[in-house]
C-alpha cells in the first residue's frame, strides 16, 4: 500500500524552509536564491524527499534538475543580481534586473509565437499550435504550470510571466471549432506546462467533448506530462486519482487511443514505489505511456543513464519515444551539449539495449523547419558529415530524405550547421522561407 502524501510546493520564498537545504552553507543557499530570482524555481515535497539523493549534492541529477545552480547564469548576470540582493534593493528594482537578464537569455526560441499558431475565420486560434499536419497542440490555460520546474526548461519564460500565457486557451469552443473544421488532424496533444496539474473537472472539460461523433477524425488523444515523474500521487492516492483514471478509461471506451507522453529525464524518476504504482494504474486503464526527454548536461549526459532508463521503462510497459537536443534558451550554456556528443551518447546507449527499447528516436532538434534527427556521422568522398533526417517536417514531403551537414565538434543546433559538399543551402530552405513568409502575411492580415 502506498501512503498518501499531501502536496507541498516550495518556491523562491521557501528556500530557507527546505530542511534538506540546510546542509549547504548560507552562501550556497544564497547562490540558489540569486539564480531563482531570474529563472523560475518550484519544487515539491515528493521531489525533495524521495527523488533527490541528499548525500550526493550538488551532483545529484535530480538536484540539478530542480534546484538552481550558480553556473546557470554567467558571471556578469549573477553578480548583478547577487549585488542587488545583498544591498536589499527594492522588489521593483530586483524585478527590473531580473527582466533585463531574462531578455539576454533568448526567452522565445524557434519563433513559435506566430509560425505555428493557426488562423481560423480570420483570427489566430489562441492556445493552439498546428505545425505538423496530423497533430495539433492544445495549451489549456489552467495547465500552464508544473508540479516542479525543471531548471533547463525551454518554456521557462512563460513561468516568469514573459508571454502573458499567449499560448493558452480556455476550454471554450474555439479550439474545438478549429479541430472540427480540420479533418486532417488525427492527433490532439494537450501540453503546457503540464495539463495534469488541472483539476479533474477542467481536464474533463477539455477531453470529453472530443469523444463526440463530430470528432471522429481525432483518433489519438495525447497528454504531455511530467506528473508521473514529479507527482505520481495524482494517479494513486490524491482525492481525484480515481476520477482521473475513470476519465482515461472513458477515452479508451470511446474507441480512441490515449497516449500519456511522459516526460522522464532519469531512471530515478521510475524507481520509487509510488512512481511504479502510478504507471501500473495508468496502464490498467488501457492508456499507453510513451516517454521523452532532452539530453541535459549535469542530469543525463551519460549513455549508461539512458540505457538504464529505457530498460526500466520497457520493463514497466512504457514505450521510449524521443530523445531531444536541448534548445538554445535560458540556462542553455550550462545544460546544452554539442550535437557530436549528443549523437555519441544516443548511440552508446542504443547499442546497449534490445529492439524493444529501440523505439526511441533522436537525438532530435525541434527546430523551425521540423524535428531534425542526427542519424549518424559519416565520411563521404573524404568529407566528414552529419547525416540528418526530418522526423517531422513543416512539409511532410521533407521527412525521410537524408541530408548532410559539415561535421563539426562544437555546433549544438541546426542553425549553426553548414551544408556539406559545397552546397549553399539545405534542400528545404527555399521552401521553408516561402512557408514562413506566407504564414507571416496571413498573420498580418488577421
Ligand atoms: C513534436 C511535436 C509534435 C508531435 O510530433 P510526433 O512526431 O507526432 O510525436 C507536434 N507538434 C509540434 C509542434 C511538435 O514539436
Ligand atoms: S515539466 Fe516540462 S514544461 Fe514543466 S518545467 Fe519541466 S520541462 Fe518545463
Amino acid at each position: 500500500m502506498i501512503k498518501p502524501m499531501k502536496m507541498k510546493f516550495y518556491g523562491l520564498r521557501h528556500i530557507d524552509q527546505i530542511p534538506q537545504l540546510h546542509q549547504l552553507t548560507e552562501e550556497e543557499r544564497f547562490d540558489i536564491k540569486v539564480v531563482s530570482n531570474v529563472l523560475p524555481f518550484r519544487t515539491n515535497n515528493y521531489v525533495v524527499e524521495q527523488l533527490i539523493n541528499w548525500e550526493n549534492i550538488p551532483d545529484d541529477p535530480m538536484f540539478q534538475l530542480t534546484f538552481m545552480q550558480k553556473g546557470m547564469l554567467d558571471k556578469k548576470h549573477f553578480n548583478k543580481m547577487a549585488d542587488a540582493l545583498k544591498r536589499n534593493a527594492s522588489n521593483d528594482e530586483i524585478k527590473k534586473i531580473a527582466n533585463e537578464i531574462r531578455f539576454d537569455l533568448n526567452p522565445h526560441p524557434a519563433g513559435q509565437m506566430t509560425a505555428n499558431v493557426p488562423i481560423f475565420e480570420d483570427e489566430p486560434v489562441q492556445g493552439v499550435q498546428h505545425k505538423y499536419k496530423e497533430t495539433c497542440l492544445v495549451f489549456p490555460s489552467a495547465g500552464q504550470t508544473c508540479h516542479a520546474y525543471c531548471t533547463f526548461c525551454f518554456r521557462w519564460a512563460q513561468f516568469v510571466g514573459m508571454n502573458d500565457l499567449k499560448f493558452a486557451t480556455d476550454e471554450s469552443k474555439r479550439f474545438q471549432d478549429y479541430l472540427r473544421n480540420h479533418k486532417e488532424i488525427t492527433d490532439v496533444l494537450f501540453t503546457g506546462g503540464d495539463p495534469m496539474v488541472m483539476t479533474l473537472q477542467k481536464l474533463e472539460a477539455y477531453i470529453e467533448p472530443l469523444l463526440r461523433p463530430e470528432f471522429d477524425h481525432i483518433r489519438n488523444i495525447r497528454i504531455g506530462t511530467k506528473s508521473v515523474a514529479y507527482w505520481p500521487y495524482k494517479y494513486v492516492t490524491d482525492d481525484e486519482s480515481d476520477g482521473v483514471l475513470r476519465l482515461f478509461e472513458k477515452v479508451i471506451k470511446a474507441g480512441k487511443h490515449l497516449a500519456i507522453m511522459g516526460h522522464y529525464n532519469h531512471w530515478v524518476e521510475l524507481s520509487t514505489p509510488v512512481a511504479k504504482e502510478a504507471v501500473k494504474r495508468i496502464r490498467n486503464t488501457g492508456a499507453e505511456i510513451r516517454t521523452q526527454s532532452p539530453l541535459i548536461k549535469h542530469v543525463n549526459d551519460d549513455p549508461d543513464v539512458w540505457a538504464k532508463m529505457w530498460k526500466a521503462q520497457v520493463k514497466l510497459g512504457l514505450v521510449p519515444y524521443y530523445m531531444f537536443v536541448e534548445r538554445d534558451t535560458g540556462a542553455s550554456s550550462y545544460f546544452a551539449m554539442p550535437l557530436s556528443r549528443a549523437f555519441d551518447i544516443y548511440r552508446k546507449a542504443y547499442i546497449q539495449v534490445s529492439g524493444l527499447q529501440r523505439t526511441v528516436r533522436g537525438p532530435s532538434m525541434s527546430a523551425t523547419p521540423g524535428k531534425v534527427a542526427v542519424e549518424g556521422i559519416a565520411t563521404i568522398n573524404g568529407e566528414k558529415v552529419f547525416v540528418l533526417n526530418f522526423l517531422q517536417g513543416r512539409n511532410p514531403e521533407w521527412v525521410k530524405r537524408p541530408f548532410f551537414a559539415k561535421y563539426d565538434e562544437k555546433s549544438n543546433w541546426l542553425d549553426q550547421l553548414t551544408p556539406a559538399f559545397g552546397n549553399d543551402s539545405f534542400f528545404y530552405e527555399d521552401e521553408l522561407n516561402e512557408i514562413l513568409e506566407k504564414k507571416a502575411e496571413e498573420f498580418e492580415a488577421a
Side-chain angles (χ1 to χ4, degrees):
M1 278 305 282
I2 306 286
K3 240 180 50 210
M5 194 171 199
K6 197 169 170 319
M7 195 188 309
K8 206 153 111 194
F9 283 122
Y10 300 117
L12 173 59
R13 280 171 298 134
H14 312 109
I15 285 177
D16 286 326
Q17 293 162 29
I18 303 173
Q20 288 84 344
L21 270 188
H22 283 263
Q23 61 178 284
L24 298 177
T25 63
E26 187 139 352
E27 199 188 327
E28 287 166 331
R29 275 206 307 282
F30 177 74
D31 293 347
I32 294 180
K33 287 179 209 163
V34 172
V35 184
S36 305
N37 266 286
V38 177
L39 295 166
F41 165 71
R42 173 183 232 194
T43 191
N44 67 54
N45 46 341
Y46 170 70
V47 174
V48 167
E49 290 168 29
Q50 298 188 52
L51 295 185
I52 295 174
N53 173 4
W54 291 94
E55 274 160 27
N56 184 30
I57 59 167
D59 295 335
D60 179 71
M62 296 308 298
F63 182 70
Q64 292 278 332
L65 182 63
T66 48
F67 281 88
M68 298 301 171
Q69 310 295 320
K70 189 173 181 181
M72 290 177 191
L73 293 182
D74 71 23
K75 271 211 185 77
K76 187 182 75 194
H77 288 150
F78 183 92
N79 290 339
K80 198 163 180 189
M81 182 54 85
D83 169 67
L85 294 180
K86 274 184 192 147
R87 62 184 160 79
N88 281 322
S90 69
N91 280 347
D92 281 350
E93 195 190 342
I94 289 173
K95 247 189 221 151
K96 193 168 151 264
I97 293 173
N99 275 327
E100 279 166 20
I101 299 175
R102 288 165 185 162
F103 273 108
D104 274 355
L105 300 177
N106 189 24
H108 303 300
Q112 301 192 352
M113 287 302 212
T114 52
N116 301 342
V117 178
I119 309 276
F120 180 63
E121 291 173 340
D122 302 328
E123 289 277 340
V125 190
Q126 295 301 345
V128 169
Q129 287 188 31
H130 190 192
K131 181 172 178 181
Y132 309 127
K133 192 163 145 256
E134 294 80 15
T135 305
C136 188
L137 308 189
V138 176
F139 294 75
S141 43
Q144 297 312 308
T145 177
C146 304
H147 290 101
Y149 292 147
C150 308
T151 41
F152 70 82
C153 179
F154 74 98
R155 296 216 168 107
W156 64 274
Q158 80 176 47
F159 302 136
V160 293
M162 279 182 92
N163 60 14
D164 302 326
L165 297 183
K166 277 201 190 78
F167 280 164
T169 180
D170 58 19
E171 60 267 48
S172 72
K173 303 276 171 284
R174 205 160 148 73
F175 88 91
Q176 293 178 25
D177 288 344
Y178 182 74
L179 294 176
R180 201 179 291 111
N181 280 277
H182 284 265
K183 301 289 185 215
E184 78 279 16
I185 298 174
T186 58
D187 290 39
V188 172
L189 168 48
F190 291 101
T191 183
D194 189 337
M196 293 309 296
V197 302
M198 290 194 288
T199 60
L200 178 58
Q201 194 192 5
K202 285 266 181 204
L203 202 59
E204 286 170 342
Y206 280 96
I207 292 178
E208 283 184 348
L210 301 184
L211 307 183
R212 294 186 207 130
E214 55 194 291
F215 293 108
D216 269 351
H217 58 294
I218 311 290
R219 294 156 186 271
N220 309 310
I221 295 180
R222 310 194 212 175
I223 304 175
T225 184
K226 181 87 189 168
S227 59
V228 203
Y230 277 167
W231 191 255
Y233 296 93
K234 176 90 186 176
Y235 309 94
V236 182
T237 58
D238 279 3
D239 288 345
E240 292 188 337
S241 60
D242 284 339
V244 169
L245 298 173
R246 293 301 84 75
L247 174 63
F248 288 3
E249 278 169 2
K250 211 165 169 181
V251 175
I252 306 289
K253 276 213 191 85
K256 311 253 189 220
H257 178 86
L258 177 62
I260 304 302
M261 308 304 289
H263 175 191
Y264 287 100
N265 306 110
H266 198 281
W267 52 261
V268 167
E269 295 165 312
L270 279 157
S271 65
T272 65
V274 64
K276 290 179 188 164
E277 183 65 19
V279 165
K280 195 164 111 195
R281 289 189 187 211
I282 293 170
R283 301 225 327 119
N284 279 344
T285 66
E288 292 283 352
I289 308 176
R290 290 168 210 271
T291 65
Q292 53 194 34
S293 166
L295 251 168
I296 317 151
K297 218 191 312 179
H298 307 285
V299 175
N300 59 23
D301 54 339
D302 174 352
D304 296 349
V305 166
W306 285 87
K308 187 167 173 178
M309 178 167 81
W310 294 335
K311 285 181 198 166
Q313 289 173 353
V314 168
K315 188 170 175 208
L316 293 169
L318 283 59
V319 184
Y321 191 67
Y322 272 135
M323 176 201 266
F324 292 119
V325 178
E326 173 57 0
R327 291 185 211 213
D328 177 22
T329 178
S332 62
S333 59
Y334 185 79
F335 293 116
M337 72 185 79
L339 294 170
S340 55
R341 173 96 182 108
F343 179 72
D344 188 54
I345 291 174
Y346 174 79
R347 184 175 167 276
K348 285 185 175 145
Y350 194 82
I351 61 179
Q352 292 183 41
V353 298
S354 86
L356 291 181
Q357 285 90 9
R358 290 183 183 177
T359 47
V360 64
R361 291 163 302 154
S364 168
M365 296 170 267
S366 294
T368 308
K371 281 190 168 64
V372 176
V374 179
E375 295 288 350
I377 295 167
T379 302
I380 299 176
N381 290 339
E383 185 172 338
K384 193 168 180 189
V385 296
F386 284 118
V387 183
L388 304 170
N389 174 35
F390 277 99
L391 302 176
Q392 285 287 2
R394 239 174 235 283
N395 177 350
E397 289 298 324
W398 299 343
V399 174
K400 284 278 173 193
R401 288 173 60 182
F403 62 107
F404 305 91
K406 274 188 199 152
Y407 177 83
D408 92 84
E409 220 153 70
K410 296 218 178 74
S411 297
N412 48 26
W413 201 252
L414 183 64
D415 59 8
Q416 295 161 14
L417 296 176
T418 340
F421 314 131
N423 290 331
D424 299 333
S425 61
F426 293 121
F427 77 90
Y428 59 85
E429 282 184 86
D430 289 344
E431 211 182 330
L432 173 65
N433 288 335
E434 274 169 41
I435 295 173
L436 293 179
E437 268 166 41
K438 203 167 136 230
K439 263 272 164 203
E441 277 166 28
E442 273 175 28
F443 239 85
E444 296 271 314

